[in-house]
Amino acid sequence: MIVVAGEALIDLVVSAEGERAVPGGSPANVAVTLARLDQPVRLLARLGADGYGKQLTEHLTANRVDLGWAVRAEQPTSVAVATLDATGQASYEFRLIGTADWQWTPQELPELAGTLATALHTGSLALALAPGAQVLEDLLARERRRDGLTVSIDLNLRPGIVTDRAAEQARVERQVSLAHLVKASDEDLAWLYPDRTVSDVMAGWRAAGVCCAVVTRGGDGAWLLAPDGSMHEEPAVPTTVVDTVGAGDAFTGGLLAALADLDALGDRPAGRLAAVTAEQWAAVLRQAATVAALTCGRRGADPPRRAELDSLLGA
């Protein structure tokens, strides 16, 4: 079972066709992707007590995401206003003050030791916004020390919200050192480290203890730095882009699902990831890129199901 921790919010998508409220939030999107790819997944989220919170609960439950550890919060649901341009690219504005997602307390988090959890994934705003970010960071640190499951982080930075670059550099570097697997986009790294190359950043993560680093590059594909220091590149899968909402989250879900299928997630995570062969890393990247492409080909964060993915990969 993969445990995903972080925000479940509403994307208010604004386009030439008008507005529509759809479930979103990077960690929640990753959880849905995993569930649709037939991976057992449990979401650690704080779900608001309002109508949006009910909409999120119904969406997650309908997609077979286990909410057994979710918190029923008194605060309202966070909202991200996603405005689409003529090419389908999304820009975001967030309504986050006083909302449910960022109010974690240590008492709300479960003990993962002794459960069926093989991986803990988090990232995005959940690791950036106080007070809850510190609570989740402490959880990552505890699980990294225990070495009983794979710790995964997707940076998914939001410079429009957290604008202090130096503080974000310090936070990211601290949190990356707690992870076995780190994923970011080239846009994340261009903002975070404007004077460093992507390969230099990835090498720095490896030196800090990260086993596997992945950087997505939009239409240019993705790079992966494997535990043995080898670099793997996968081109983007051609698609007609409807919009890019949730594409990065779909990539992450596809990546984790592929690793789970290889039994590469779980206790002694460094050894498991080191056992993945070059051929398998190529297949992992191919699956992640395909899941992202299928998501870009439809409106909103709507990742594919296993049968659709298998059909396309088989072809």
Side-chain angles (χ1 to χ4, degrees), residues 7-11 22-29 56 59-60 249 301:
E7 64 263 30
L9 49 77
I10 288 293
D11 282 331
V22 297
S26 176
N29 289 341
L56 284 165
H59 168 71
L60 293 164
D249 307 326

Side-chain angles (χ1 to χ4, degrees), residues 8 11 13 38 40 44 52 69 73 78 87 91 99 105 108 113 161 166 184 186 202 242 252 266 298 303 309:
D11 282 331
V13 182
D38 295 337
L44 268 171
Y52 281 158
W69 288 341
S78 307
T87 68
S91 59
T99 53
T105 65
E108 291 174 330
I161 298 171
D186 55 355
M202 296 173 83
V242 174
T252 302
R298 54 189 67 162
L309 176 64

Side-chain angles (χ1 to χ4, degrees), residues 205-274:
W205 289 349
R206 185 165 182 263
V210 173
C211 301
C212 176
V214 182
V215 175
T216 56
R217 303 161 59 229
D220 293 324
W223 287 328
L224 182 147
L225 181 61
D228 65 358
S230 61
M231 185 72 78
H232 302 263
E233 183 174 2
E234 180 69 20
V237 174
T239 187
T240 300
V241 175
V242 174
D243 67 50
T244 62
V245 176
D249 307 326
F251 184 101
T252 302
L255 182 80
L256 290 171
L259 290 171
D261 287 338
L262 293 173
D263 198 28
L265 305 177
D267 60 343
R268 301 182 299 279
R272 288 177 182 268
L273 290 169

Side-chain angles (χ1 to χ4, degrees), residues 40-149:
V41 57
R42 183 168 288 188
L43 181 63
L44 268 171
R46 301 185 87 257
L47 299 172
D50 50 12
Y52 281 158
K54 181 180 178 182
Q55 182 181 353
L56 284 165
T57 299
E58 291 174 348
H59 168 71
L60 293 164
T61 301
N63 280 285
R64 300 184 296 117
V65 174
D66 187 334
L67 297 179
W69 288 341
V71 175
R72 311 298 169 174
E74 297 179 357
Q75 298 90 357
T77 301
S78 307
V79 175
V81 181
T83 302
L84 305 180
D85 64 18
T87 68
Q89 295 291 319
S91 59
Y92 292 89
E93 172 193 350
F94 291 85
R95 302 171 185 172
L96 309 176
I97 297 175
T99 53
D101 296 281
W102 332 113
Q103 314 304 323
W104 288 105
T105 65
Q107 296 73 25
E108 291 174 330
L109 299 181
E111 175 56 62
L112 299 182
T115 69
L116 297 176
T118 58
L120 170 64
H121 173 78
T122 186
S124 194
L125 289 170
L127 282 183
L129 295 183
Q134 186 60 56
V135 177
L136 292 181
E137 185 176 325
D138 291 344
L139 175 64
L140 295 180
R142 184 175 76 214
E143 295 306 323
R144 178 70 191 234
R145 288 193 302 269
R146 188 169 67 86
D147 210 36
L149 51 71

